[in-house]
Amino acid sequence: MDQGYESQTTWHCHCIPLTHHLVCYFSCSPDQATMMGKVPSFSPGSTASSALPGYIALCLTLQVHRLVSAQFTVTGPDHPVTASIGGEAILPCHLSPRMSAENMEVRWFRSQFSPAVHLYHDGQDQYGEQMPEYRERTELLKDDITNGSVSLRIRNIRPSDDGQYKCFFQSGVSYEDAMLELWVAGQ
């Protein structure tokens, strides 16, 4: 009796934590997938056979996504930014390689993707999704945005501003982010 593809293939589940969701997919090794030119066979009651096209489509989609998301990286300072209560902080962030971010979404946020600390989209600042505690205190410094460099200025620093921030860039389906730390002195 010919053994089917299902009994000879080991599926592996991989999960990747992204900025605002977790992506899980299944894969098998290339040598298992090709089966030396054999066409996979499944028993009629096999649950894996009905799910196989979905697994393949998901894996292909994720491989394309991996290539697309690797078009740029986002970097910030490798040390915490320090600011005093009542003063201002400038959190720098930039794309590598250098490219214009004028037509990208640039989002600064804390622990949750939304609402944002500051949001730039469609070539302008967007305040409808801004956290109330940052209203009229933030400014995206765009002097060097054509080189992929933006900084977030936060005025009138408060003790609650202390902590982690994420700088997120998105262009089409490509996106990356970087984590920064703000230390508020004099608390």
Side-chain angles (χ1 to χ4, degrees), residues 7-113:
S7 63
Q8 297 175 8
T9 303
T10 304
W11 289 93
H12 304 279
C13 179
H14 306 275
C15 291
I16 302 169
L18 296 176
T19 300
H20 52 286
H21 60 281
L22 184 68
V23 173
C24 295
Y25 63 96
F26 295 87
S27 67
C28 60
S29 64
D31 57 327
Q32 291 173 324
T34 57
M35 293 291 296
M36 298 185 301
K38 291 185 180 180
V39 175
S41 61
F42 293 93
S43 61
S46 170
T47 56
S49 64
S50 62
L52 183 62
Y55 292 150
I56 292 171
L58 182 59
C59 288
L60 289 174
T61 300
L62 288 168
Q63 291 302 320
V64 169
H65 169 74
R66 182 181 297 163
L67 292 173
V68 170
S69 68
Q71 291 180 347
F72 58 81
T73 59
V74 178
T75 55
D78 57 358
H79 58 285
V81 174
T82 305
S84 299
I85 293 175
E88 72 175 36
I90 295 182
L91 306 177
C93 194
H94 67 273
L95 294 171
S96 180
R98 289 181 181 198
M99 64 181 70
S100 178
E102 285 179 298
N103 297 315
M104 293 186 181
E105 176 179 315
V106 180
R107 176 183 298 261
W108 287 85
F109 63 98
R110 302 287 308 259
S111 59
Q112 295 181 4
F113 190 75

Side-chain angles (χ1 to χ4, degrees), residues 115-177:
V117 171
H118 194 94
L119 176 61
Y120 170 87
H121 185 60
D122 293 329
Q124 57 189 350
D125 296 309
Q126 308 285 329
Y127 297 102
E129 198 181 316
Q130 189 174 34
M131 296 170 71
E133 57 268 33
Y134 289 97
R135 287 209 176 108
E136 300 183 17
R137 294 196 308 125
T138 64
E139 177 187 2
L140 190 66
L141 304 178
K142 299 176 268 224
D143 294 342
D144 208 16
I145 197 168
T146 56
N147 288 317
S149 183
V150 295
S151 296
L152 179 68
R153 174 182 288 154
I154 304 174
R155 289 185 286 282
N156 193 21
I157 292 292
R158 303 172 181 172
S160 60
D161 294 334
D162 189 84
Q164 294 182 338
Y165 290 78
K166 283 193 179 178
C167 173
F168 171 91
F169 285 81
Q170 181 173 0
S171 176
V173 296
S174 300
Y175 59 89
E176 290 292 333
D177 63 29

